[in-house]
């Protein structure tokens, strides 16, 4: 047997201890305004005075004292206040049993970011109103909660009245009919109100574990009508996620529970189930069901972004130390090649050392690319070379069920992009294609030349290298295809994807001057197109080796102040510069370098400094030195630097990324000295 709304209200609202409370129950609903600005309290009171009785408080502590004295239909709470702020006050309100369910609307003028909104909702807020307040919107929102509060009290009064009428004799039947009629009207209004809210009211009995829905927007929440659950009770139990069945069964004896339930459209929704026992009916509960899927999704996104930020910071720090080590190794190899007369076997050993160190350099660059802390370094890249580098790497990852095919035109133009970012983008797309084919299939990477005679969307007129990654999977539904480029959106099962793969590839393509497009049809697979700008030069640019490079000429006697906190790398760099004819003075920090500048009679021709050093960065050193001598020639070397900070360096200060080549260092010195 199901309960009426009146019975549900009796179960939810505690019964009065005496008849003396009846006048209080008919009192005008009260709204609590909390703001440390008296002007705001006065203005809001004027707006709401005809909606409810207004009680004001100018601090969180005073608001809590008011809550000890009585109940309120809704609390309007300012976020920023001295002492207890809005978030802390809301948490204390939620901790009290009497005020736990009182709606809280936050008033704020600045906190519109997602993080602040999530904190507000986590503190117990049901809504936000942003200052300056729109009186119409505020009155409308407050009126809804006041109306709900009044209807709850009205149902309570009618329920008690109905109970009393049941004990009356037939002579009171006419009066009872009028009251029943009023109750039915109240129930209709309540039902209409509940249907407008994203929740459903239900009754459940211990043992059945099947809810009987009384009111609310059941069909919007579940995709089924309330009658469908009455006709087939097993539908509710069968659609609870297998991993949450135990939680659902356990929620029968607790006040609240959370579990996943499969909507009629096939997607799982996260429901929070809150219930209270019906007074006088052992084993009978009345509760509400709310969909918190979006709230959980936003919380997961915040957590995921925090994890990625932490990984990026850790990766950047490790990469800095590795680059210092690799720079020392490669510099040492270069010195041995220049200063030692080695036989063929010795030269082979040095070559193997160089190759291993260069592989380490590529690995570090990929780590920085993953962490999104590597500033792009566009260069002429032949896609065929990137394909050869990735082919061996991707083979073991794809497994035996997936075949990888490369179909690159023989006359494919070189692209002008960051090579590390290109490899990472192709890797992301190939792995995404693999995941779209759980039963196996073929991933085809093709490349062709394209010319746009006019602008198309964000693509300007010009020549492009078009790379396409196609799979033979099931394809993407049209409603999801529009969202696949959104950050954190993924079509994979929970826990199996971050939703950052395609969005990071799109970011790389756009930063490089290109774009990304996705085409898909159900049953025909998916094709992802990456448009990249053609290189202005078709000549392949091979990086020269440390040992066999053509070196720029230097003038004898030029002086260099070399600053680096890495002792080994500093000594090796000094040897390279000395061999090239420079007179080198070394310093282990920016502070020591400034002391040398102040005390030395030498007027150094150029400053070569590391970027990341204790106490003073290389950029700060150059700025201070140029306050003594304008436009002092300088070069910055760094294994890893904060991209935003190092971008602020003067335009005439070149940056050498560790590990750098001997020729690159000497060429940088020659350039800054010639321009000075």
């Amino acid at each position: 047997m199901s309960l009426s709304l009146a019975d549900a209200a009796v179960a939810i609202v505690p019964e009065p201890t005496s008849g003396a409370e009846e006048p209080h129950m008919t009192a005008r609903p009260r709204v609590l305004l909390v703001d440390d600005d008296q002007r705001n309290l006065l203005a809001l009171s004027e707006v709401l005075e005809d909606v409810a009785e207004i009680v004001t408080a100018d601090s969180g502590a005073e608001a809590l004292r008011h809550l000890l004295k009585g109940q309120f239909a809704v609390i309007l709470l300012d976020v920023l206040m001295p002492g207890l702020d809005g978030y802390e006050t809301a948490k204390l309100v939620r901790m009290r049993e009497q005020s736990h369910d009182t709606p809280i609307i936050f008033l704020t003028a600045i906190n519109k970011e997602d993080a602040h909104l999530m904190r507000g909702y986590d503190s117990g807020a049901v809504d936000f109103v942003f200052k300056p307040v729109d009186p119409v919107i505020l009155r409308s929102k407050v009126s809804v909660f006041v109306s709900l509060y009044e209807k709850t009290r009205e149902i309570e009064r009618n329920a008690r009245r109905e109970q009393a009428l049941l004990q009356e004799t037939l002579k009171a039947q006419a009066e009872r009919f009028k009251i029943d009629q009023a109750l039915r009207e109240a129930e209709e209004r309540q039902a209409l109100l509940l249907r407008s809210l994203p929740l459903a009211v239900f009754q459940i009995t211990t043992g059945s574990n099947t809810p009987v829905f009384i009111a609310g927007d059941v069909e919007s929440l579940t995709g089924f009508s309330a009658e469908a659950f009455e006709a087939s009770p097993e539908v509710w139990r069968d659609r609870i996620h297998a991993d949450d069945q135990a939680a659902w069964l356990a929620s029968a004896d607790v006040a609240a529970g959370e579990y996943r339930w499969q909507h009629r459209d096939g997607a799982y929704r996260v429901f929070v189930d809150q219930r209270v026992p019906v007074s006088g009916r052992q084993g009978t509960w009345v509760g509400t069901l709310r969909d918190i899927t979006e709230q959980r999704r936003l919380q997961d996104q915040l957590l995921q972004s925090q994890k990625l930020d932490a990984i990026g910071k850790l990766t950047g720090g490790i990469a800095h130390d590795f680059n210092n080590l690799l720079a020392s190794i490669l510099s040492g190899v270069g010195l041995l090649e220049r200063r030692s007369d080695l036989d063929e076997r010795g030269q082979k050993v040095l070559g193997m050392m160089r190759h291993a160190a260069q592989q380490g350099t590529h690995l570090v660059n990929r780590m920085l690319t993953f962490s999104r802390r590597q500033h792009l370094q566009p260069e002429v890249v032949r896609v065929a070379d990137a394909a050869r580098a990735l082919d061996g790497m991707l083979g073991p990852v794809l497994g035996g069920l997936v075949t990888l095919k490369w179909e690159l035109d023989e006359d494919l133009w070189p692209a002008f992009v960051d090579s590390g970012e290109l490899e990472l983008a192709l890797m992301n797309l190939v792995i995404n294609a693999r995941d779209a084919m759980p039963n196996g299939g073929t991933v085809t990477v093709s490349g062709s030349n394209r010319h746009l005679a006019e602008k198309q969307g964000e693509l300007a007129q010009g020549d492009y290298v078009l790379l396409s990654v196609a799979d033979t999977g099931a394809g993407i539904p049209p409603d999801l295809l529009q969202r696949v480029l959104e950050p954190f959106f993924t079509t994979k099962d929970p826990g199996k994807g971050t939703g950052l793969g395609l969005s990071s590839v799109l970011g790389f393509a756009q930063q490089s001057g290109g774009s990304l497009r996705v085409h898909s049809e159900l049953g025909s697979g998916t094709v992802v197109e990456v448009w990249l700008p053609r290189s202005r030069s078709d000549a392949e640019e091979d990086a020269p080796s440390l040992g066999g490079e053509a070196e720029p000429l230097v003038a004898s006697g030029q002086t260099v102040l070399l600053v680096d906190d890495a002792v080994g790398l500093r000594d090796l760099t000094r040897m390279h510069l000395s061999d090239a004819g420079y007179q080198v003075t070394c310093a282990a920090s920016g502070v020591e370098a400034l002391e040398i500048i102040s005390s030395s009679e030498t007027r150094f021709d150029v400053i070569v400094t590391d970027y990341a050093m204790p106490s003073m960065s290389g950029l700060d050193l150059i700025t201070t030195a140029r306050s003594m001598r304008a436009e002092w020639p300088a070069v910055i070397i760094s294994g890893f630097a904060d991209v935003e900070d190092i971008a602020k360096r003067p335009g005439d200060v070149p940056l050498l990324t560790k590990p750098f080549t001997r020729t690159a260092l000497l060429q940088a010195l020659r350039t800054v000295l010639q321009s000075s």
Side-chain angles (χ1 to χ4, degrees), residues 261-509:
W261 196 89
Q262 190 177 32
H263 192 275
R264 189 166 190 167
D265 62 11
Y268 277 96
R269 309 291 173 88
V270 181
F271 287 160
V272 59
D273 176 340
Q274 296 176 301
R275 57 182 73 173
V276 294
V278 177
S279 177
R281 298 193 180 187
Q282 185 66 29
T284 302
W285 301 69
V286 171
T288 60
L289 195 70
R290 291 189 295 114
D291 185 349
I292 59 171
T293 307
E294 184 65 16
Q295 178 181 338
R296 289 289 177 266
R297 186 181 70 84
L298 292 174
Q299 290 174 346
D300 291 343
Q301 287 183 7
L302 177 61
L303 179 62
Q304 183 69 15
S305 65
Q306 290 171 339
K307 287 180 179 179
L308 289 176
D309 183 63
I311 291 173
K313 292 178 180 177
L314 176 63
T315 301
I318 293 174
H320 175 268
D321 294 338
F322 264 83
N323 275 332
N324 278 338
L325 296 174
L326 292 170
S328 297
I329 294 172
L330 289 172
S331 293
V333 169
L335 284 172
L336 286 175
E337 289 178 337
R338 294 177 62 84
R339 296 185 174 186
S340 302
D341 187 13
L342 300 175
D343 57 16
E344 182 178 352
R345 184 175 181 181
Q347 291 287 348
K348 184 176 181 181
V349 171
L350 282 183
M352 293 172 64
M353 291 175 61
R354 178 192 302 283
H355 180 70
Q358 289 173 342
Q359 284 186 319
T361 301
H362 294 155
L363 176 61
V364 170
N365 287 336
R366 287 178 184 172
M367 290 171 59
L368 291 174
T369 299
F370 167 76
S371 68
R372 309 298 296 169
R373 291 174 174 267
Q374 174 84 312
H375 37 279
L376 294 181
Q377 296 180 341
E379 58 183 337
V380 178
V381 176
R382 295 192 179 277
V383 180
D385 295 339
R388 284 191 292 270
L390 288 173
D391 198 43
M393 185 187 306
L394 289 172
V397 177
L398 295 178
L401 297 178
V402 177
T403 302
L404 177 62
K405 294 173 56 179
W406 295 88
E407 297 181 352
L408 307 177
D409 292 352
E410 293 184 0
D411 59 346
L412 187 63
W413 295 325
F416 188 67
V417 293
D418 186 299
S419 59
E421 285 279 0
L422 175 61
E423 291 184 11
L424 180 62
L426 288 174
M427 187 181 304
N428 273 331
L429 295 179
V430 171
I431 291 176
N432 276 353
R434 177 206 64 182
D435 293 342
M437 302 181 296
N439 298 322
T442 301
V443 179
T444 303
V445 183
S446 57
S448 58
N449 301 327
R450 294 296 175 89
H451 174 76
L452 297 183
E454 57 184 19
K455 182 179 180 181
Q456 292 186 10
E458 59 185 350
L459 291 174
Q461 181 271 339
D463 293 334
Y464 293 88
V465 177
L466 174 60
L467 301 180
S468 301
V469 179
D471 63 61
T472 56
I476 304 173
D479 57 327
L480 298 182
L481 188 60
Q482 305 298 323
R483 302 187 58 195
V484 293
L485 297 180
E486 296 178 7
F488 298 106
F489 178 79
T490 178
T491 58
K492 300 176 184 177
D493 294 335
K496 295 185 178 180
T498 64
L500 293 174
L502 281 178
S503 61
S504 64
V505 177
L506 172 62
F508 155 68

Side-chain angles (χ1 to χ4, degrees), residues 496-560:
K496 295 185 178 180
T498 64
L500 293 174
L502 281 178
S503 61
S504 64
V505 177
L506 172 62
F508 155 68
Q510 290 176 335
Q511 291 177 40
S512 302
S515 185
L516 182 141
R517 298 172 179 176
V518 182
H519 309 281
S520 184
E521 293 184 9
L522 288 176
S524 301
T526 301
V527 179
V528 180
E529 296 181 350
V530 182
W531 293 69
L532 300 173
R534 175 188 180 180
S535 171
R536 296 178 181 177
S537 171
D538 289 349
E540 184 173 7
E541 298 179 355
D542 293 324
S545 65
L546 267 173
E549 298 158 334
E551 300 177 359
L553 297 176
V554 298
S556 176
Q558 289 175 315
T559 56
V560 176

Side-chain angles (χ1 to χ4, degrees), residues 174-231:
E175 183 180 357
R176 176 183 176 182
F177 177 79
K178 295 179 181 178
I179 295 176
D180 288 342
Q181 182 67 27
L183 179 60
R184 284 193 296 271
E185 293 175 357
E187 289 177 345
E188 291 175 359
R189 292 193 297 271
Q190 180 72 10
L192 289 173
L193 180 61
L194 289 174
R195 280 198 295 271
S196 68
L197 298 176
L199 56 81
V201 180
F202 66 88
Q203 170 196 331
I204 194 169
T205 57
T206 302
S208 71
N209 286 330
T210 300
V212 176
F213 290 99
I214 301 171
D217 195 0
V218 181
E219 191 161 356
S220 176
L221 287 175
T222 67
F224 296 90
S225 64
E227 292 75 15
F229 295 110
E230 294 181 6

